[in-house]
Amino acid sequence: MPNSVLEAMATGLPVAATRHGGIPEAIDHGRTGWLVPEEDHAALANAMQQIACLPGALREMGLRARAAVTDRFEQDGQIGQLESFYEEAIAMNGAAEPAKSKPVKQLAPQFAERVPVK
């Protein structure tokens, strides 16, 4: 999904975008922005006109857009979701418990020793 869609929504702006790729995952049509068919220039123009002509709705929609980005795409939530996918994959492959890995802090000094200092 283009970062510009999420960036606009995170600033409190509703967006008009096409139903393409991951964009529909971010935009709730009519609540946080408008989704139009790909290559439908007239529908995109109409959506932009609605944005310009409805300042009250624009403000409410922008607040919902910002909240949606925070709820669905903030970093801690994404990390938690990714960790749960890994745990599920490990469980599906028959591992009794996850392998113990070294924290990055323990690996970094050995790596840093081999990096020349300028």
Side-chain angles (χ1 to χ4, degrees), residues 14-51:
V15 296
T18 60
R19 288 184 177 92
H20 176 79
I23 293 173
E25 293 175 26
I27 299 172
D28 183 8
H29 181 73
R31 290 190 40 78
T32 61
W34 285 270
L35 290 169
V36 299
E38 284 188 89
E39 299 183 22
D40 188 342
H41 307 289
L44 187 58
N46 288 335
M48 289 189 288
Q49 279 184 323
Q50 286 182 328
I51 290 172

PDB file of all heavy atoms in Angstrom, residues 14-51:
ATOM      1  N   PRO A  14      -9.065  12.679   5.287  1.00  0.00           N
ATOM      2  CA  PRO A  14      -9.680  11.566   4.565  1.00  0.00           C
ATOM      3  C   PRO A  14      -9.070  11.527   3.167  1.00  0.00           C
ATOM      4  O   PRO A  14      -8.571  12.536   2.676  1.00  0.00           O
ATOM      5  CB  PRO A  14     -11.158  11.938   4.521  1.00  0.00           C
ATOM      6  CG  PRO A  14     -11.167  13.415   4.631  1.00  0.00           C
ATOM      7  CD  PRO A  14      -9.961  13.800   5.442  1.00  0.00           C
ATOM      8  N   VAL A  15      -9.093  10.377   2.536  1.00  0.00           N
ATOM      9  CA  VAL A  15      -8.483  10.256   1.216  1.00  0.00           C
ATOM     10  C   VAL A  15      -9.468   9.690   0.203  1.00  0.00           C
ATOM     11  O   VAL A  15     -10.418   9.011   0.562  1.00  0.00           O
ATOM     12  CB  VAL A  15      -7.218   9.354   1.256  1.00  0.00           C
ATOM     13  CG1 VAL A  15      -6.144   9.982   2.115  1.00  0.00           C
ATOM     14  CG2 VAL A  15      -7.547   7.969   1.763  1.00  0.00           C
ATOM     15  N   ALA A  16      -9.197   9.996  -1.045  1.00  0.00           N
ATOM     16  CA  ALA A  16      -9.898   9.376  -2.164  1.00  0.00           C
ATOM     17  C   ALA A  16      -8.855   8.542  -2.883  1.00  0.00           C
ATOM     18  O   ALA A  16      -7.812   9.064  -3.284  1.00  0.00           O
ATOM     19  CB  ALA A  16     -10.480  10.442  -3.092  1.00  0.00           C
ATOM     20  N   ALA A  17      -9.105   7.246  -3.006  1.00  0.00           N
ATOM     21  CA  ALA A  17      -8.121   6.349  -3.607  1.00  0.00           C
ATOM     22  C   ALA A  17      -8.837   5.233  -4.355  1.00  0.00           C
ATOM     23  O   ALA A  17     -10.046   5.042  -4.224  1.00  0.00           O
ATOM     24  CB  ALA A  17      -7.222   5.760  -2.522  1.00  0.00           C
ATOM     25  N   THR A  18      -8.061   4.503  -5.139  1.00  0.00           N
ATOM     26  CA  THR A  18      -8.637   3.402  -5.917  1.00  0.00           C
ATOM     27  C   THR A  18      -8.603   2.105  -5.131  1.00  0.00           C
ATOM     28  O   THR A  18      -7.795   1.926  -4.222  1.00  0.00           O
ATOM     29  CB  THR A  18      -7.877   3.213  -7.238  1.00  0.00           C
ATOM     30  OG1 THR A  18      -6.508   2.909  -6.945  1.00  0.00           O
ATOM     31  CG2 THR A  18      -7.965   4.450  -8.105  1.00  0.00           C
ATOM     32  N   ARG A  19      -9.483   1.200  -5.508  1.00  0.00           N
ATOM     33  CA  ARG A  19      -9.503  -0.143  -4.917  1.00  0.00           C
ATOM     34  C   ARG A  19      -8.390  -0.947  -5.579  1.00  0.00           C
ATOM     35  O   ARG A  19      -8.603  -1.627  -6.571  1.00  0.00           O
ATOM     36  CB  ARG A  19     -10.851  -0.807  -5.153  1.00  0.00           C
ATOM     37  CG  ARG A  19     -11.959  -0.228  -4.335  1.00  0.00           C
ATOM     38  CD  ARG A  19     -13.263  -1.009  -4.545  1.00  0.00           C
ATOM     39  NE  ARG A  19     -14.304  -0.490  -3.693  1.00  0.00           N
ATOM     40  CZ  ARG A  19     -15.162   0.456  -4.052  1.00  0.00           C
ATOM     41  NH1 ARG A  19     -15.097   0.978  -5.260  1.00  0.00           N
ATOM     42  NH2 ARG A  19     -16.071   0.881  -3.214  1.00  0.00           N
ATOM     43  N   HIS A  20      -7.216  -0.847  -5.003  1.00  0.00           N
ATOM     44  CA  HIS A  20      -6.045  -1.501  -5.588  1.00  0.00           C
ATOM     45  C   HIS A  20      -5.126  -1.960  -4.461  1.00  0.00           C
ATOM     46  O   HIS A  20      -4.920  -1.232  -3.490  1.00  0.00           O
ATOM     47  CB  HIS A  20      -5.296  -0.531  -6.509  1.00  0.00           C
ATOM     48  CG  HIS A  20      -4.038  -1.092  -7.072  1.00  0.00           C
ATOM     49  ND1 HIS A  20      -4.040  -1.963  -8.132  1.00  0.00           N
ATOM     50  CD2 HIS A  20      -2.750  -0.941  -6.713  1.00  0.00           C
ATOM     51  CE1 HIS A  20      -2.791  -2.312  -8.409  1.00  0.00           C
ATOM     52  NE2 HIS A  20      -1.998  -1.702  -7.554  1.00  0.00           N
ATOM     53  N   GLY A  21      -4.560  -3.137  -4.602  1.00  0.00           N
ATOM     54  CA  GLY A  21      -3.586  -3.637  -3.633  1.00  0.00           C
ATOM     55  C   GLY A  21      -4.139  -3.629  -2.219  1.00  0.00           C
ATOM     56  O   GLY A  21      -5.259  -4.061  -1.961  1.00  0.00           O
ATOM     57  N   GLY A  22      -3.354  -3.097  -1.284  1.00  0.00           N
ATOM     58  CA  GLY A  22      -3.741  -3.085   0.115  1.00  0.00           C
ATOM     59  C   GLY A  22      -4.514  -1.851   0.540  1.00  0.00           C
ATOM     60  O   GLY A  22      -4.868  -1.717   1.707  1.00  0.00           O
ATOM     61  N   ILE A  23      -4.774  -0.949  -0.387  1.00  0.00           N
ATOM     62  CA  ILE A  23      -5.451   0.297  -0.034  1.00  0.00           C
ATOM     63  C   ILE A  23      -6.806   0.048   0.636  1.00  0.00           C
ATOM     64  O   ILE A  23      -7.114   0.679   1.651  1.00  0.00           O
ATOM     65  CB  ILE A  23      -5.577   1.224  -1.259  1.00  0.00           C
ATOM     66  CG1 ILE A  23      -4.181   1.707  -1.680  1.00  0.00           C
ATOM     67  CG2 ILE A  23      -6.482   2.409  -0.963  1.00  0.00           C
ATOM     68  CD1 ILE A  23      -4.146   2.482  -2.975  1.00  0.00           C
ATOM     69  N   PRO A  24      -7.639  -0.868   0.145  1.00  0.00           N
ATOM     70  CA  PRO A  24      -8.925  -1.091   0.811  1.00  0.00           C
ATOM     71  C   PRO A  24      -8.801  -1.580   2.262  1.00  0.00           C
ATOM     72  O   PRO A  24      -9.750  -1.464   3.027  1.00  0.00           O
ATOM     73  CB  PRO A  24      -9.603  -2.153  -0.067  1.00  0.00           C
ATOM     74  CG  PRO A  24      -9.009  -1.947  -1.412  1.00  0.00           C
ATOM     75  CD  PRO A  24      -7.572  -1.577  -1.142  1.00  0.00           C
ATOM     76  N   GLU A  25      -7.636  -2.109   2.637  1.00  0.00           N
ATOM     77  CA  GLU A  25      -7.434  -2.502   4.031  1.00  0.00           C
ATOM     78  C   GLU A  25      -7.376  -1.289   4.946  1.00  0.00           C
ATOM     79  O   GLU A  25      -7.705  -1.377   6.124  1.00  0.00           O
ATOM     80  CB  GLU A  25      -6.129  -3.293   4.186  1.00  0.00           C
ATOM     81  CG  GLU A  25      -6.133  -4.634   3.507  1.00  0.00           C
ATOM     82  CD  GLU A  25      -4.783  -5.313   3.593  1.00  0.00           C
ATOM     83  OE1 GLU A  25      -4.012  -5.026   4.531  1.00  0.00           O
ATOM     84  OE2 GLU A  25      -4.496  -6.131   2.710  1.00  0.00           O
ATOM     85  N   ALA A  26      -6.925  -0.169   4.425  1.00  0.00           N
ATOM     86  CA  ALA A  26      -6.751   1.029   5.239  1.00  0.00           C
ATOM     87  C   ALA A  26      -7.979   1.924   5.229  1.00  0.00           C
ATOM     88  O   ALA A  26      -8.282   2.575   6.223  1.00  0.00           O
ATOM     89  CB  ALA A  26      -5.539   1.817   4.750  1.00  0.00           C
ATOM     90  N   ILE A  27      -8.672   1.985   4.115  1.00  0.00           N
ATOM     91  CA  ILE A  27      -9.781   2.935   3.963  1.00  0.00           C
ATOM     92  C   ILE A  27     -11.110   2.228   4.139  1.00  0.00           C
ATOM     93  O   ILE A  27     -11.401   1.247   3.472  1.00  0.00           O
ATOM     94  CB  ILE A  27      -9.731   3.608   2.575  1.00  0.00           C
ATOM     95  CG1 ILE A  27      -8.422   4.380   2.415  1.00  0.00           C
ATOM     96  CG2 ILE A  27     -10.930   4.538   2.401  1.00  0.00           C
ATOM     97  CD1 ILE A  27      -8.208   4.909   1.021  1.00  0.00           C
ATOM     98  N   ASP A  28     -11.909   2.761   5.043  1.00  0.00           N
ATOM     99  CA  ASP A  28     -13.279   2.289   5.236  1.00  0.00           C
ATOM    100  C   ASP A  28     -14.162   3.249   4.441  1.00  0.00           C
ATOM    101  O   ASP A  28     -14.388   4.392   4.853  1.00  0.00           O
ATOM    102  CB  ASP A  28     -13.613   2.302   6.724  1.00  0.00           C
ATOM    103  CG  ASP A  28     -14.993   1.757   7.038  1.00  0.00           C
ATOM    104  OD1 ASP A  28     -15.653   1.226   6.116  1.00  0.00           O
ATOM    105  OD2 ASP A  28     -15.410   1.859   8.195  1.00  0.00           O
ATOM    106  N   HIS A  29     -14.617   2.791   3.268  1.00  0.00           N
ATOM    107  CA  HIS A  29     -15.342   3.652   2.326  1.00  0.00           C
ATOM    108  C   HIS A  29     -16.496   4.381   3.010  1.00  0.00           C
ATOM    109  O   HIS A  29     -17.347   3.768   3.647  1.00  0.00           O
ATOM    110  CB  HIS A  29     -15.861   2.822   1.146  1.00  0.00           C
ATOM    111  CG  HIS A  29     -16.599   3.641   0.139  1.00  0.00           C
ATOM    112  ND1 HIS A  29     -15.977   4.515  -0.721  1.00  0.00           N
ATOM    113  CD2 HIS A  29     -17.930   3.744  -0.125  1.00  0.00           C
ATOM    114  CE1 HIS A  29     -16.875   5.106  -1.475  1.00  0.00           C
ATOM    115  NE2 HIS A  29     -18.071   4.654  -1.136  1.00  0.00           N
ATOM    116  N   GLY A  30     -16.488   5.697   2.871  1.00  0.00           N
ATOM    117  CA  GLY A  30     -17.548   6.521   3.426  1.00  0.00           C
ATOM    118  C   GLY A  30     -17.335   6.900   4.884  1.00  0.00           C
ATOM    119  O   GLY A  30     -18.027   7.762   5.411  1.00  0.00           O
ATOM    120  N   ARG A  31     -16.380   6.264   5.570  1.00  0.00           N
ATOM    121  CA  ARG A  31     -16.104   6.597   6.977  1.00  0.00           C
ATOM    122  C   ARG A  31     -14.740   7.266   7.150  1.00  0.00           C
ATOM    123  O   ARG A  31     -14.609   8.198   7.910  1.00  0.00           O
ATOM    124  CB  ARG A  31     -16.171   5.341   7.844  1.00  0.00           C
ATOM    125  CG  ARG A  31     -17.577   4.795   7.992  1.00  0.00           C
ATOM    126  CD  ARG A  31     -17.695   3.702   9.040  1.00  0.00           C
ATOM    127  NE  ARG A  31     -16.934   3.899  10.272  1.00  0.00           N
ATOM    128  CZ  ARG A  31     -17.282   4.704  11.288  1.00  0.00           C
ATOM    129  NH1 ARG A  31     -18.385   5.419  11.212  1.00  0.00           N
ATOM    130  NH2 ARG A  31     -16.543   4.798  12.371  1.00  0.00           N
ATOM    131  N   THR A  32     -13.714   6.751   6.477  1.00  0.00           N
ATOM    132  CA  THR A  32     -12.371   7.329   6.604  1.00  0.00           C
ATOM    133  C   THR A  32     -11.858   7.863   5.274  1.00  0.00           C
ATOM    134  O   THR A  32     -10.755   8.379   5.202  1.00  0.00           O
ATOM    135  CB  THR A  32     -11.364   6.294   7.148  1.00  0.00           C
ATOM    136  OG1 THR A  32     -11.281   5.190   6.243  1.00  0.00           O
ATOM    137  CG2 THR A  32     -11.782   5.793   8.521  1.00  0.00           C
ATOM    138  N   GLY A  33     -12.635   7.708   4.234  1.00  0.00           N
ATOM    139  CA  GLY A  33     -12.256   8.171   2.904  1.00  0.00           C
ATOM    140  C   GLY A  33     -13.172   7.552   1.867  1.00  0.00           C
ATOM    141  O   GLY A  33     -14.194   6.957   2.206  1.00  0.00           O
ATOM    142  N   TRP A  34     -12.785   7.693   0.617  1.00  0.00           N
ATOM    143  CA  TRP A  34     -13.582   7.144  -0.483  1.00  0.00           C
ATOM    144  C   TRP A  34     -12.734   6.197  -1.309  1.00  0.00           C
ATOM    145  O   TRP A  34     -11.563   6.478  -1.606  1.00  0.00           O
ATOM    146  CB  TRP A  34     -14.075   8.268  -1.399  1.00  0.00           C
ATOM    147  CG  TRP A  34     -15.192   9.055  -0.808  1.00  0.00           C
ATOM    148  CD1 TRP A  34     -16.523   8.811  -0.937  1.00  0.00           C
ATOM    149  CD2 TRP A  34     -15.086  10.221  -0.003  1.00  0.00           C
ATOM    150  NE1 TRP A  34     -17.240   9.755  -0.263  1.00  0.00           N
ATOM    151  CE2 TRP A  34     -16.382  10.638   0.326  1.00  0.00           C
ATOM    152  CE3 TRP A  34     -14.013  10.962   0.488  1.00  0.00           C
ATOM    153  CZ2 TRP A  34     -16.644  11.749   1.115  1.00  0.00           C
ATOM    154  CZ3 TRP A  34     -14.270  12.073   1.267  1.00  0.00           C
ATOM    155  CH2 TRP A  34     -15.569  12.446   1.565  1.00  0.00           C
ATOM    156  N   LEU A  35     -13.326   5.079  -1.678  1.00  0.00           N
ATOM    157  CA  LEU A  35     -12.688   4.113  -2.575  1.00  0.00           C
ATOM    158  C   LEU A  35     -13.437   4.118  -3.897  1.00  0.00           C
ATOM    159  O   LEU A  35     -14.669   4.062  -3.916  1.00  0.00           O
ATOM    160  CB  LEU A  35     -12.729   2.705  -1.973  1.00  0.00           C
ATOM    161  CG  LEU A  35     -11.831   2.474  -0.770  1.00  0.00           C
ATOM    162  CD1 LEU A  35     -12.155   1.142  -0.107  1.00  0.00           C
ATOM    163  CD2 LEU A  35     -10.370   2.510  -1.184  1.00  0.00           C
ATOM    164  N   VAL A  36     -12.690   4.191  -4.983  1.00  0.00           N
ATOM    165  CA  VAL A  36     -13.296   4.177  -6.311  1.00  0.00           C
ATOM    166  C   VAL A  36     -12.613   3.095  -7.144  1.00  0.00           C
ATOM    167  O   VAL A  36     -11.491   2.690  -6.843  1.00  0.00           O
ATOM    168  CB  VAL A  36     -13.166   5.554  -7.002  1.00  0.00           C
ATOM    169  CG1 VAL A  36     -13.884   6.629  -6.181  1.00  0.00           C
ATOM    170  CG2 VAL A  36     -11.726   5.939  -7.229  1.00  0.00           C
ATOM    171  N   PRO A  37     -13.274   2.622  -8.186  1.00  0.00           N
ATOM    172  CA  PRO A  37     -12.649   1.618  -9.055  1.00  0.00           C
ATOM    173  C   PRO A  37     -11.394   2.181  -9.729  1.00  0.00           C
ATOM    174  O   PRO A  37     -11.308   3.382 -10.006  1.00  0.00           O
ATOM    175  CB  PRO A  37     -13.729   1.309 -10.096  1.00  0.00           C
ATOM    176  CG  PRO A  37     -15.009   1.771  -9.486  1.00  0.00           C
ATOM    177  CD  PRO A  37     -14.653   2.914  -8.588  1.00  0.00           C
ATOM    178  N   GLU A  38     -10.456   1.288 -10.008  1.00  0.00           N
ATOM    179  CA  GLU A  38      -9.246   1.703 -10.716  1.00  0.00           C
ATOM    180  C   GLU A  38      -9.598   2.271 -12.084  1.00  0.00           C
ATOM    181  O   GLU A  38     -10.523   1.799 -12.742  1.00  0.00           O
ATOM    182  CB  GLU A  38      -8.319   0.496 -10.916  1.00  0.00           C
ATOM    183  CG  GLU A  38      -7.589   0.091  -9.669  1.00  0.00           C
ATOM    184  CD  GLU A  38      -6.554  -0.971  -9.968  1.00  0.00           C
ATOM    185  OE1 GLU A  38      -5.408  -0.594 -10.277  1.00  0.00           O
ATOM    186  OE2 GLU A  38      -6.913  -2.156  -9.905  1.00  0.00           O
ATOM    187  N   GLU A  39      -8.880   3.282 -12.480  1.00  0.00           N
ATOM    188  CA  GLU A  39      -9.006   3.925 -13.782  1.00  0.00           C
ATOM    189  C   GLU A  39     -10.372   4.565 -14.033  1.00  0.00           C
ATOM    190  O   GLU A  39     -10.724   4.854 -15.165  1.00  0.00           O
ATOM    191  CB  GLU A  39      -8.641   2.949 -14.906  1.00  0.00           C
ATOM    192  CG  GLU A  39      -7.205   2.460 -14.790  1.00  0.00           C
ATOM    193  CD  GLU A  39      -6.783   1.556 -15.925  1.00  0.00           C
ATOM    194  OE1 GLU A  39      -7.407   1.620 -17.002  1.00  0.00           O
ATOM    195  OE2 GLU A  39      -5.836   0.791 -15.720  1.00  0.00           O
ATOM    196  N   ASP A  40     -11.142   4.770 -12.969  1.00  0.00           N
ATOM    197  CA  ASP A  40     -12.428   5.456 -13.107  1.00  0.00           C
ATOM    198  C   ASP A  40     -12.210   6.909 -12.699  1.00  0.00           C
ATOM    199  O   ASP A  40     -12.410   7.304 -11.551  1.00  0.00           O
ATOM    200  CB  ASP A  40     -13.489   4.794 -12.235  1.00  0.00           C
ATOM    201  CG  ASP A  40     -14.882   5.348 -12.478  1.00  0.00           C
ATOM    202  OD1 ASP A  40     -14.997   6.456 -13.053  1.00  0.00           O
ATOM    203  OD2 ASP A  40     -15.855   4.679 -12.072  1.00  0.00           O
ATOM    204  N   HIS A  41     -11.777   7.705 -13.670  1.00  0.00           N
ATOM    205  CA  HIS A  41     -11.406   9.092 -13.407  1.00  0.00           C
ATOM    206  C   HIS A  41     -12.605   9.931 -12.956  1.00  0.00           C
ATOM    207  O   HIS A  41     -12.464  10.822 -12.123  1.00  0.00           O
ATOM    208  CB  HIS A  41     -10.751   9.705 -14.644  1.00  0.00           C
ATOM    209  CG  HIS A  41      -9.603   8.882 -15.143  1.00  0.00           C
ATOM    210  ND1 HIS A  41      -8.404   8.791 -14.466  1.00  0.00           N
ATOM    211  CD2 HIS A  41      -9.472   8.083 -16.234  1.00  0.00           C
ATOM    212  CE1 HIS A  41      -7.583   7.992 -15.117  1.00  0.00           C
ATOM    213  NE2 HIS A  41      -8.205   7.542 -16.199  1.00  0.00           N
ATOM    214  N   ALA A  42     -13.776   9.628 -13.495  1.00  0.00           N
ATOM    215  CA  ALA A  42     -14.974  10.381 -13.113  1.00  0.00           C
ATOM    216  C   ALA A  42     -15.324  10.117 -11.649  1.00  0.00           C
ATOM    217  O   ALA A  42     -15.659  11.050 -10.902  1.00  0.00           O
ATOM    218  CB  ALA A  42     -16.142  10.007 -14.018  1.00  0.00           C
ATOM    219  N   ALA A  43     -15.231   8.858 -11.221  1.00  0.00           N
ATOM    220  CA  ALA A  43     -15.529   8.525  -9.821  1.00  0.00           C
ATOM    221  C   ALA A  43     -14.519   9.184  -8.883  1.00  0.00           C
ATOM    222  O   ALA A  43     -14.885   9.672  -7.805  1.00  0.00           O
ATOM    223  CB  ALA A  43     -15.525   7.012  -9.623  1.00  0.00           C
ATOM    224  N   LEU A  44     -13.252   9.219  -9.281  1.00  0.00           N
ATOM    225  CA  LEU A  44     -12.229   9.865  -8.465  1.00  0.00           C
ATOM    226  C   LEU A  44     -12.506  11.368  -8.362  1.00  0.00           C
ATOM    227  O   LEU A  44     -12.422  11.955  -7.280  1.00  0.00           O
ATOM    228  CB  LEU A  44     -10.836   9.606  -9.046  1.00  0.00           C
ATOM    229  CG  LEU A  44      -9.658  10.087  -8.212  1.00  0.00           C
ATOM    230  CD1 LEU A  44      -9.659   9.471  -6.821  1.00  0.00           C
ATOM    231  CD2 LEU A  44      -8.354   9.769  -8.935  1.00  0.00           C
ATOM    232  N   ALA A  45     -12.874  11.991  -9.467  1.00  0.00           N
ATOM    233  CA  ALA A  45     -13.209  13.419  -9.456  1.00  0.00           C
ATOM    234  C   ALA A  45     -14.414  13.689  -8.564  1.00  0.00           C
ATOM    235  O   ALA A  45     -14.432  14.672  -7.803  1.00  0.00           O
ATOM    236  CB  ALA A  45     -13.472  13.902 -10.881  1.00  0.00           C
ATOM    237  N   ASN A  46     -15.427  12.830  -8.637  1.00  0.00           N
ATOM    238  CA  ASN A  46     -16.607  12.993  -7.777  1.00  0.00           C
ATOM    239  C   ASN A  46     -16.246  12.867  -6.303  1.00  0.00           C
ATOM    240  O   ASN A  46     -16.747  13.620  -5.466  1.00  0.00           O
ATOM    241  CB  ASN A  46     -17.693  11.973  -8.144  1.00  0.00           C
ATOM    242  CG  ASN A  46     -18.361  12.287  -9.457  1.00  0.00           C
ATOM    243  OD1 ASN A  46     -18.393  13.429  -9.897  1.00  0.00           O
ATOM    244  ND2 ASN A  46     -18.888  11.255 -10.105  1.00  0.00           N
ATOM    245  N   ALA A  47     -15.390  11.911  -5.972  1.00  0.00           N
ATOM    246  CA  ALA A  47     -14.962  11.740  -4.582  1.00  0.00           C
ATOM    247  C   ALA A  47     -14.223  12.979  -4.095  1.00  0.00           C
ATOM    248  O   ALA A  47     -14.444  13.456  -2.974  1.00  0.00           O
ATOM    249  CB  ALA A  47     -14.079  10.497  -4.447  1.00  0.00           C
ATOM    250  N   MET A  48     -13.368  13.542  -4.927  1.00  0.00           N
ATOM    251  CA  MET A  48     -12.631  14.747  -4.545  1.00  0.00           C
ATOM    252  C   MET A  48     -13.580  15.936  -4.382  1.00  0.00           C
ATOM    253  O   MET A  48     -13.389  16.776  -3.503  1.00  0.00           O
ATOM    254  CB  MET A  48     -11.523  15.044  -5.545  1.00  0.00           C
ATOM    255  CG  MET A  48     -10.387  14.034  -5.455  1.00  0.00           C
ATOM    256  SD  MET A  48      -8.940  14.454  -6.426  1.00  0.00           S
ATOM    257  CE  MET A  48      -9.506  14.176  -8.084  1.00  0.00           C
ATOM    258  N   GLN A  49     -14.612  16.002  -5.206  1.00  0.00           N
ATOM    259  CA  GLN A  49     -15.610  17.073  -5.053  1.00  0.00           C
ATOM    260  C   GLN A  49     -16.344  16.935  -3.729  1.00  0.00           C
ATOM    261  O   GLN A  49     -16.613  17.931  -3.056  1.00  0.00           O
ATOM    262  CB  GLN A  49     -16.610  17.041  -6.206  1.00  0.00           C
ATOM    263  CG  GLN A  49     -16.102  17.712  -7.450  1.00  0.00           C
ATOM    264  CD  GLN A  49     -17.170  17.737  -8.539  1.00  0.00           C
ATOM    265  OE1 GLN A  49     -17.943  16.797  -8.694  1.00  0.00           O
ATOM    266  NE2 GLN A  49     -17.193  18.817  -9.301  1.00  0.00           N
ATOM    267  N   GLN A  50     -16.684  15.701  -3.352  1.00  0.00           N
ATOM    268  CA  GLN A  50     -17.348  15.487  -2.064  1.00  0.00           C
ATOM    269  C   GLN A  50     -16.457  15.942  -0.916  1.00  0.00           C
ATOM    270  O   GLN A  50     -16.929  16.562   0.028  1.00  0.00           O
ATOM    271  CB  GLN A  50     -17.709  14.010  -1.877  1.00  0.00           C
ATOM    272  CG  GLN A  50     -18.874  13.571  -2.707  1.00  0.00           C
ATOM    273  CD  GLN A  50     -19.236  12.120  -2.449  1.00  0.00           C
ATOM    274  OE1 GLN A  50     -18.387  11.290  -2.156  1.00  0.00           O
ATOM    275  NE2 GLN A  50     -20.519  11.827  -2.547  1.00  0.00           N
ATOM    276  N   ILE A  51     -15.171  15.647  -1.010  1.00  0.00           N
ATOM    277  CA  ILE A  51     -14.234  16.075   0.026  1.00  0.00           C
ATOM    278  C   ILE A  51     -14.247  17.595   0.141  1.00  0.00           C
ATOM    279  O   ILE A  51     -14.305  18.153   1.234  1.00  0.00           O
ATOM    280  CB  ILE A  51     -12.807  15.557  -0.273  1.00  0.00           C
ATOM    281  CG1 ILE A  51     -12.742  14.042  -0.073  1.00  0.00           C
ATOM    282  CG2 ILE A  51     -11.770  16.256   0.597  1.00  0.00           C
ATOM    283  CD1 ILE A  51     -11.432  13.412  -0.529  1.00  0.00           C
TER     284      ILE A  51
END
